[in-house]
């Protein structure tokens, strides 16, 4: 008997300001799988990530998305997070005056409360955070700062992965986590992600470049173009893309009839 | 013509009667002159420029019972600890309905010739010294409420720190209003003198404790600080009284040469609050910071009128007031900066920022710069904003519910001022106090 998928998306359509961006997405993520979604700028990659996290600027106009069989699109963003969805933002916002420790503790306890678990007190929380910091090689100074305030691009991305490690999501969506990172930062972030891979959780990596996939090897690669997944394959598909560029995809798209 | 001042005149007759011979003293002549001034000025209306946005008709229409002598109360030390700041040992002077409560206070040795006493005791000991001290402080501009306060001077605090003395522990003044079956009024007067090269920290806190009644309390305090050359005074004012309260607070500091006064005002409660906060930078090289956080929920009104008067050269002033207005709450900020002709090389910076959490909340923000010197640097700015949707989404995407996310971001807005508090325990206290209010 097959396991229930973590995420099942069927014919998902979404618009922003009346313009349709997602034009029928189908995607299934099973436990233990890492999916990469690649595509040129404007293909709808980030829109997909934001729609799954529940950003209200994107209007779902059709289709469905199920998280462990439950209607994901019905849930508020916080409910999704408590049910195990984590979006690593492409552009994490700076929150001046919001203490990182306070923020993370509020997040962890919101999830725990939802699961019917006891909330962590300050000592237990600190122990958890310290353990995750060790795994991801993050300095304790981060906890004393305001969330993302004055962080470099790389620090912000690393903070996203750190939060992910603390919150232990069942479905992690990484939106262009590799963009703006130099090779060392990329390695650190990829390392962190690999440590969080497990047989119970799934990941969706949204990326423009094949580079990230050298460090995080996906099980499935999808090519998103003009709001639809036009090609799916193994990890070698990413290499093919790298070799031929996105023009090759566009030609392919025209062949299958999803051009402009 | 100002018929509403009549009840206070009646109160004054009762007050005078209760003074037992003290009414023969010159201090009492000052009271009488002040009552006359109060009667002449009358209560301001919205036709007065300084009160344009703040309608105090509900206050003026209320008959307040004066509490002439300290009345028995059942307040316990545990209630005191729960109602106010309790984060430190050191001097704590507690007042109940305008009268000193020695049983609830902690008066340790301050030593080195410093005086920390309640004002009634100081008057008893040396009324002439108190009177001289009041007269020596430059008069604030004619103001009904300050005049009313002076007319009823009786209790409050008297603090005198001699030259060169540094008082390490903050002095905590806790003023408790007990709502009873009648509307009551307390006119507190706090006189603080900090000598040359001396240092002191004062925490002035106003709270309410339910006393089985639900009537209005009117708190009308005046605090005056004189900072001698090179003195440093940190002053924190925290107001979180009951919803039915009126609070008209006056704070005035005089800064002599190279002295520093840091004042932070937190206003969290009551139906109508007006803070008149002013400082005169009277000696060269003085520095004054004047910060504030104000919250107005439901139908509350909080009005901050500040004046920074640069009367000497080479002085600096920094002012940051941040307001959070929710529901039908209303805020008023008026920041006046005067740079007199002699006050060359003045460096003054004023900022008023406001967060509006509802469509029905209102803020009126008015900077007023009056510059008569030519070599000065003065900046001012006022902003009005809302919580950022992107920030809210970020918090919610981490599992934090909408109400909590809003509270977190709102507190973060005020945090910039909270972090100016130099005492860690007091900072924690304000953080808890603000967060409790924001999660309501």
């Amino acid at each position: 008997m097959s396991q229930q998928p973590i995420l099942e998306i069927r014919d998902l359509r979404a618009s922003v300001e009346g313009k349709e961006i997602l034009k029928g997405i189908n995607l299934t993520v099973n436990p233990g799988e890492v999916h990469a979604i690649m595509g040129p700028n404007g293909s709808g990659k980030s829109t997909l990530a934001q729609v799954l996290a529940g950003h209200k600027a994107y209007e779902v106009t059709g289709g469905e998305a199920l998280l462990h069989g439950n209607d994901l699109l019905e849930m508020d963003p916080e409910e999704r997070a408590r049910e195990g969805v984590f979006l690593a933002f492409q552009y994490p916002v700076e929150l001046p005056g919001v203490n990182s420790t306070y923020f993370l503790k509020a997040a962890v306890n919101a999830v725990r409360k939802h699961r019917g678990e006891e909330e962590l007190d300050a000592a237990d929380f600190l122990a958890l955070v310290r353990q995750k910091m060790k795994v991801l090689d993050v300095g304790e100074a981060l906890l004393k700062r305001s969330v993302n305030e004055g962080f470099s691009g790389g620090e912000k991305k690393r903070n996203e992965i750190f939060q992910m490690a603390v919150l232990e999501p069942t479905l992690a969506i990484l939106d262009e986590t590799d963009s703006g990172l130099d090779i060392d930062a990329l390695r650190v972030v990829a390392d962190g992600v690999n440590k969080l891979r497990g047989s119970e959780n799934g990941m969706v990596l949204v990326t423009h470049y094949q580079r990230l996939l050298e460090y995080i090897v996906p099980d499935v690669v999808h090519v998103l173009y003009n709001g639809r997944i036009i090609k799916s394959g193994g990890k070698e598909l990413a290499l093919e893309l790298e070799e031929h560029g996105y023009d090759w995809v566009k030609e392919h798209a025209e062949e299958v009839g999803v051009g402009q | 013509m100002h018929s509403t001042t009549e009840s206070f005149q009646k109160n004054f007759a009762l007050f005078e009667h209760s003074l037992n011979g003290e009414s023969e003293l010159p201090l009492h002549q000052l009271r009488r002159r002040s009552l006359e001034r109060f009667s002449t000025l009358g209560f301001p209306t919205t036709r007065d420029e300084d009160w344009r946005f703040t309608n105090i008709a509900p206050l003026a229409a209320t008959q307040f019972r004066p509490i002439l002598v300290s009345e028995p109360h059942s307040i316990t030390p545990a209630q005191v600890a729960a109602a106010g700041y309790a984060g430190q040992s050191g001097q704590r002077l507690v007042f109940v309905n305008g009268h000193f409560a020695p049983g609830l206070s902690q008066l340790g040795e301050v030593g080195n010739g410093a005086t920390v006493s309640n004002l009634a005791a100081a008057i008893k000991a040396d009324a002439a010294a108190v009177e001289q001290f009041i007269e020596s402080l430059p008069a604030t501009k004619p103001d009904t409420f300050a005049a009313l306060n002076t007319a009823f001077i009786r209790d409050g605090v008297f603090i005198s720190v001699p030259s060169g003395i540094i008082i390490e522990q903050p002095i905590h003044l806790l003023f408790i209003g007990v709502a009873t079956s009648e509307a009551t009024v307390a006119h507190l007067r706090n006189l603080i003198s900090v000598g040359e090269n001396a240092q002191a920290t004062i925490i002035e806190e106003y709270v309410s404790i339910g006393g089985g009644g639900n009537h209005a309390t009117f708190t009308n305090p005046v605090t005056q600080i004189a900072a001698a050359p090179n003195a440093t005074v940190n002053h924190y004012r925290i107001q979180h009284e009951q919803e039915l309260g009126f609070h008209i607070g006056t704070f005035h500091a005089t800064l002599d040469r190279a002295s520093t006064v840091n004042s932070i005002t937190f206003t969290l409660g009551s139906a109508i609050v007006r803070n008149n906060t002013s400082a005169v930078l009277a000696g060269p090289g003085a520095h004054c910071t004047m910060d504030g956080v104000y919250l107005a929920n439901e139908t509350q009104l909080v009005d901050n009128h500040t004046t920074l008067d640069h009367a000497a050269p080479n002085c600096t002033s920094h002012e940051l007031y941040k307001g959070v207005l929710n529901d039908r709450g209303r805020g008023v900020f008026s920041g006046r900066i005067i740079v007199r002709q002699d006050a060359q090389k003045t460096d003054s910076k004023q900022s008023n920022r406001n967060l509006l959490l509802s469509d029905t909340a209102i803020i009126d923000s008015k900077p007023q710069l009056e510059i008569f010197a030519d070599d000065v640097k003065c900046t001012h700015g006022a902003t009005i904003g809302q919580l950022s949707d992107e920030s809210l989404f970020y918090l919610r995407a981490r599992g934090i519910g909408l109400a909590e996310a809003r509270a977190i971001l709102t507190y973060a807005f005020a945090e910039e001022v909270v972090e100016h508090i130099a005492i860690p325990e007091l900072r924690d206290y304000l953080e808890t106090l603000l967060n409790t209010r924001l999660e309501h």
Side-chain angles (χ1 to χ4, degrees), chain B residues 354-366:
Chain B
N354 297 283
L355 187 58
L356 261 58
L357 297 178
S358 75
D359 293 340
T360 45
I362 297 174
I363 175 73
D364 291 291
S365 179
K366 189 173 78 168

Side-chain angles (χ1 to χ4, degrees), chain A residues 50 53-56 76-78 81-82 86-87 89 93 95-98 102-103 106-107 110 148 160 163 167, chain B residues 388-404 408-409 411-413 415-416 431 435 439:
Chain A
Q50 297 277 341
H55 197 298
K56 68 174 182 191
D76 282 332
E78 55 267 41
R82 292 170 194 170
F86 181 93
L87 171 65
F89 282 71
V93 292
L95 302 174
V98 179
Y102 188 90
F103 159 74
N148 294 325
E160 295 291 290
Q163 290 173 26
L167 292 169
Chain B
S388 140
D389 282 342
E390 291 306 315
S391 300
L392 280 171
F393 178 61
Y394 188 81
L395 291 170
R396 296 176 78 189
R398 296 296 176 254
I400 298 168
L402 181 59
E404 193 183 358
I408 287 175
L409 292 177
Y411 174 74
F413 172 79
E415 205 265 349
E416 191 182 356
E431 186 176 331
N435 277 319
E439 280 166 20

Side-chain angles (χ1 to χ4, degrees), chain B residues 206-225:
Chain B
Y206 297 89
V207 303
S208 298
I209 290 180
N214 61 349
H215 278 70
T217 46
F218 170 28
T219 315
N220 183 37
V222 173
T223 297
Q224 284 165 293
I225 292 183

